Short mmCIF file of all heavy atoms in Angstrom, two decimals:
data_model
loop_
_atom_site.label_atom_id
_atom_site.label_comp_id
_atom_site.label_asym_id
_atom_site.label_seq_id
_atom_site.Cartn_x
_atom_site.Cartn_y
_atom_site.Cartn_z
N VAL A 70 0.54 7.84 -22.94
CA VAL A 70 1.74 8.23 -22.16
C VAL A 70 1.87 7.28 -20.98
O VAL A 70 0.94 7.09 -20.22
CB VAL A 70 1.62 9.73 -21.65
CG1 VAL A 70 2.78 10.10 -20.86
CG2 VAL A 70 1.43 10.70 -22.83
N GLY A 71 3.06 6.71 -20.86
CA GLY A 71 3.30 5.83 -19.75
C GLY A 71 4.24 6.45 -18.75
O GLY A 71 5.04 7.37 -19.05
N LEU A 72 4.18 5.96 -17.50
CA LEU A 72 5.05 6.41 -16.39
C LEU A 72 5.71 5.17 -15.76
O LEU A 72 5.00 4.22 -15.45
CB LEU A 72 4.22 7.18 -15.36
CG LEU A 72 4.98 7.55 -14.08
CD1 LEU A 72 6.06 8.59 -14.35
CD2 LEU A 72 3.98 8.18 -13.04
N LEU A 73 7.04 5.23 -15.54
CA LEU A 73 7.73 4.22 -14.82
C LEU A 73 8.37 4.84 -13.68
O LEU A 73 9.12 5.81 -13.76
CB LEU A 73 8.80 3.54 -15.72
CG LEU A 73 9.90 2.74 -14.92
CD1 LEU A 73 9.20 1.50 -14.27
CD2 LEU A 73 11.00 2.41 -15.83
N LEU A 74 8.09 4.31 -12.42
CA LEU A 74 8.70 4.75 -11.24
C LEU A 74 9.48 3.57 -10.62
O LEU A 74 8.98 2.48 -10.43
CB LEU A 74 7.64 5.12 -10.18
CG LEU A 74 6.72 6.36 -10.58
CD1 LEU A 74 5.57 6.63 -9.56
CD2 LEU A 74 7.51 7.64 -10.91
N THR A 75 10.82 3.76 -10.62
CA THR A 75 11.65 2.67 -10.25
C THR A 75 11.82 2.56 -8.67
O THR A 75 11.24 3.29 -7.98
CB THR A 75 13.08 2.80 -10.88
OG1 THR A 75 13.66 4.01 -10.30
CG2 THR A 75 12.94 2.93 -12.38
N GLY A 76 12.70 1.55 -8.33
CA GLY A 76 12.82 1.31 -6.88
C GLY A 76 13.84 2.13 -6.21
O GLY A 76 14.57 2.96 -6.76
N GLY A 77 13.99 1.86 -4.87
CA GLY A 77 15.06 2.53 -4.14
C GLY A 77 14.69 2.91 -2.66
O GLY A 77 15.32 3.81 -2.15
N GLY A 78 13.73 2.28 -2.11
CA GLY A 78 13.39 2.53 -0.72
C GLY A 78 13.05 4.01 -0.50
O GLY A 78 12.32 4.63 -1.25
N ALA A 79 13.73 4.64 0.43
CA ALA A 79 13.48 6.02 0.81
C ALA A 79 13.87 6.96 -0.32
O ALA A 79 13.40 8.13 -0.40
CB ALA A 79 14.20 6.44 2.07
N ARG A 80 14.76 6.49 -1.24
CA ARG A 80 15.17 7.32 -2.36
C ARG A 80 14.01 7.63 -3.21
O ARG A 80 14.02 8.60 -4.07
CB ARG A 80 16.18 6.56 -3.23
CG ARG A 80 17.53 6.38 -2.58
CD ARG A 80 18.43 5.57 -3.44
NE ARG A 80 19.76 5.34 -2.83
CZ ARG A 80 20.86 5.62 -3.46
NH1 ARG A 80 20.90 6.09 -4.74
NH2 ARG A 80 22.06 5.47 -2.91
N ALA A 81 12.82 6.91 -3.17
CA ALA A 81 11.70 7.18 -3.96
C ALA A 81 11.04 8.54 -3.68
O ALA A 81 10.19 9.02 -4.36
CB ALA A 81 10.71 6.14 -3.78
N ALA A 82 11.47 9.18 -2.59
CA ALA A 82 11.07 10.58 -2.32
C ALA A 82 11.35 11.49 -3.47
O ALA A 82 10.61 12.48 -3.77
CB ALA A 82 11.67 11.11 -1.07
N TYR A 83 12.45 11.19 -4.21
CA TYR A 83 12.76 11.99 -5.34
C TYR A 83 11.68 12.02 -6.44
O TYR A 83 11.41 13.06 -7.02
CB TYR A 83 14.07 11.38 -5.94
CG TYR A 83 14.58 12.05 -7.26
CD1 TYR A 83 15.38 13.20 -7.15
CD2 TYR A 83 14.25 11.61 -8.51
CE1 TYR A 83 15.86 13.80 -8.39
CE2 TYR A 83 14.65 12.23 -9.69
CZ TYR A 83 15.44 13.37 -9.56
OH TYR A 83 15.89 13.90 -10.76
N GLN A 84 11.01 10.91 -6.58
CA GLN A 84 9.98 10.77 -7.57
C GLN A 84 8.86 11.77 -7.26
O GLN A 84 8.18 12.36 -8.18
CB GLN A 84 9.39 9.33 -7.58
CG GLN A 84 10.37 8.27 -7.95
CD GLN A 84 9.84 6.88 -7.65
OE1 GLN A 84 8.72 6.71 -7.15
NE2 GLN A 84 10.75 5.90 -7.84
N VAL A 85 8.50 11.91 -5.98
CA VAL A 85 7.46 12.77 -5.55
C VAL A 85 7.74 14.21 -5.88
O VAL A 85 6.81 14.91 -6.32
CB VAL A 85 7.14 12.56 -4.04
CG1 VAL A 85 5.98 13.43 -3.60
CG2 VAL A 85 6.83 11.15 -3.71
N GLY A 86 9.01 14.62 -5.73
CA GLY A 86 9.35 16.00 -6.12
C GLY A 86 9.23 16.17 -7.60
O GLY A 86 8.75 17.27 -8.08
N VAL A 87 9.51 15.14 -8.42
CA VAL A 87 9.40 15.24 -9.84
C VAL A 87 7.91 15.34 -10.21
O VAL A 87 7.47 16.23 -11.03
CB VAL A 87 9.95 13.94 -10.57
CG1 VAL A 87 9.59 13.92 -12.03
CG2 VAL A 87 11.43 13.94 -10.37
N LEU A 88 7.05 14.54 -9.58
CA LEU A 88 5.65 14.62 -9.88
C LEU A 88 5.04 15.93 -9.40
O LEU A 88 4.12 16.49 -10.22
CB LEU A 88 4.90 13.46 -9.13
CG LEU A 88 5.28 12.08 -9.70
CD1 LEU A 88 4.81 10.97 -8.66
CD2 LEU A 88 4.67 11.83 -11.06
N GLU A 89 5.46 16.45 -8.32
CA GLU A 89 4.97 17.80 -7.87
C GLU A 89 5.29 18.93 -8.88
O GLU A 89 4.51 19.77 -9.25
CB GLU A 89 5.59 18.17 -6.53
CG GLU A 89 4.98 19.42 -5.96
CD GLU A 89 5.60 19.69 -4.60
OE1 GLU A 89 6.73 19.26 -4.25
OE2 GLU A 89 4.88 20.41 -3.78
N ALA A 90 6.55 18.86 -9.42
CA ALA A 90 6.95 19.85 -10.46
C ALA A 90 6.10 19.66 -11.79
O ALA A 90 5.71 20.63 -12.44
CB ALA A 90 8.47 19.73 -10.75
N ILE A 91 5.84 18.42 -12.16
CA ILE A 91 5.00 18.16 -13.32
C ILE A 91 3.62 18.71 -13.20
O ILE A 91 3.02 19.31 -14.04
CB ILE A 91 4.96 16.63 -13.64
CG1 ILE A 91 6.35 16.23 -14.14
CG2 ILE A 91 3.89 16.37 -14.65
CD1 ILE A 91 6.49 14.68 -14.42
N ALA A 92 3.05 18.52 -11.94
CA ALA A 92 1.67 19.09 -11.71
C ALA A 92 1.72 20.57 -11.78
O ALA A 92 0.86 21.23 -12.29
CB ALA A 92 1.26 18.68 -10.30
N ASP A 93 2.80 21.26 -11.25
CA ASP A 93 2.90 22.71 -11.36
C ASP A 93 3.03 23.16 -12.84
O ASP A 93 2.50 24.23 -13.22
CB ASP A 93 4.09 23.15 -10.51
CG ASP A 93 3.81 23.08 -9.01
OD1 ASP A 93 2.56 22.83 -8.68
OD2 ASP A 93 4.70 23.11 -8.19
N LEU A 94 3.90 22.42 -13.56
CA LEU A 94 4.10 22.83 -14.96
C LEU A 94 2.78 22.76 -15.79
O LEU A 94 2.44 23.55 -16.59
CB LEU A 94 5.16 21.99 -15.61
CG LEU A 94 6.56 22.19 -15.15
CD1 LEU A 94 7.54 21.17 -15.76
CD2 LEU A 94 7.04 23.65 -15.57
N ARG A 95 1.99 21.66 -15.44
CA ARG A 95 0.70 21.54 -16.14
C ARG A 95 -0.22 22.64 -15.73
O ARG A 95 -0.92 23.17 -16.60
CB ARG A 95 0.12 20.13 -15.79
CG ARG A 95 -1.13 19.91 -16.63
CD ARG A 95 -1.66 18.47 -16.52
NE ARG A 95 -2.44 18.27 -15.25
CZ ARG A 95 -3.35 17.31 -15.10
NH1 ARG A 95 -3.62 16.53 -16.09
NH2 ARG A 95 -3.96 17.17 -13.91
N LEU A 96 -0.23 23.00 -14.54
CA LEU A 96 -1.09 24.17 -14.10
C LEU A 96 -0.65 25.38 -14.76
O LEU A 96 -1.55 26.20 -15.18
CB LEU A 96 -0.92 24.28 -12.54
CG LEU A 96 -1.80 25.41 -11.92
CD1 LEU A 96 -3.35 25.07 -12.15
CD2 LEU A 96 -1.51 25.53 -10.43
N ALA A 97 0.60 25.66 -14.82
CA ALA A 97 1.08 26.86 -15.54
C ALA A 97 0.78 26.93 -17.00
O ALA A 97 0.62 27.98 -17.62
CB ALA A 97 2.64 27.02 -15.37
N ALA A 98 0.74 25.73 -17.64
CA ALA A 98 0.37 25.60 -19.12
C ALA A 98 -1.15 25.68 -19.24
O ALA A 98 -1.58 25.63 -20.43
CB ALA A 98 0.87 24.29 -19.59
N ARG A 99 -1.91 25.80 -18.13
CA ARG A 99 -3.33 25.94 -18.20
C ARG A 99 -3.99 24.78 -19.03
O ARG A 99 -4.90 25.03 -19.89
CB ARG A 99 -3.72 27.31 -18.85
CG ARG A 99 -3.22 28.46 -18.02
CD ARG A 99 -3.71 29.81 -18.66
NE ARG A 99 -3.18 30.93 -17.82
CZ ARG A 99 -3.41 32.17 -18.15
NH1 ARG A 99 -4.13 32.54 -19.16
NH2 ARG A 99 -2.91 33.21 -17.34
N VAL A 100 -3.56 23.64 -18.67
CA VAL A 100 -4.20 22.46 -19.31
C VAL A 100 -5.54 22.15 -18.62
O VAL A 100 -5.65 21.98 -17.50
CB VAL A 100 -3.24 21.17 -19.17
CG1 VAL A 100 -3.94 19.96 -19.69
CG2 VAL A 100 -1.92 21.46 -19.84
N GLY A 101 -6.57 22.14 -19.40
CA GLY A 101 -7.93 22.05 -18.86
C GLY A 101 -8.33 20.64 -18.69
O GLY A 101 -9.25 20.13 -19.22
N GLU A 102 -7.56 19.92 -17.87
CA GLU A 102 -7.70 18.50 -17.62
C GLU A 102 -7.37 18.17 -16.18
O GLU A 102 -6.26 18.49 -15.78
CB GLU A 102 -6.97 17.69 -18.66
CG GLU A 102 -7.00 16.23 -18.41
CD GLU A 102 -8.34 15.59 -18.51
OE1 GLU A 102 -8.80 15.43 -19.59
OE2 GLU A 102 -8.88 15.30 -17.44
#
């Protein structure tokens, strides 16, 4: 699985919200990793 994070200066804050949601979804799915 690959991840691409594109550019955009301060707009890159959007990426952090995406990653935070992914972390929460993984926790909810009880992925043991």
Side-chain angles (χ1 to χ4, degrees):
V70 178
L72 173 66
L73 166 65
L74 300 176
T75 64
R80 292 176 179 234
Y83 177 85
Q84 302 167 2
V85 180
V87 172
L88 293 167
E89 186 179 24
I91 289 173
D93 288 348
L94 288 174
R95 187 171 78 157
L96 182 64
R99 299 182 180 181
V100 176
E102 173 62 74

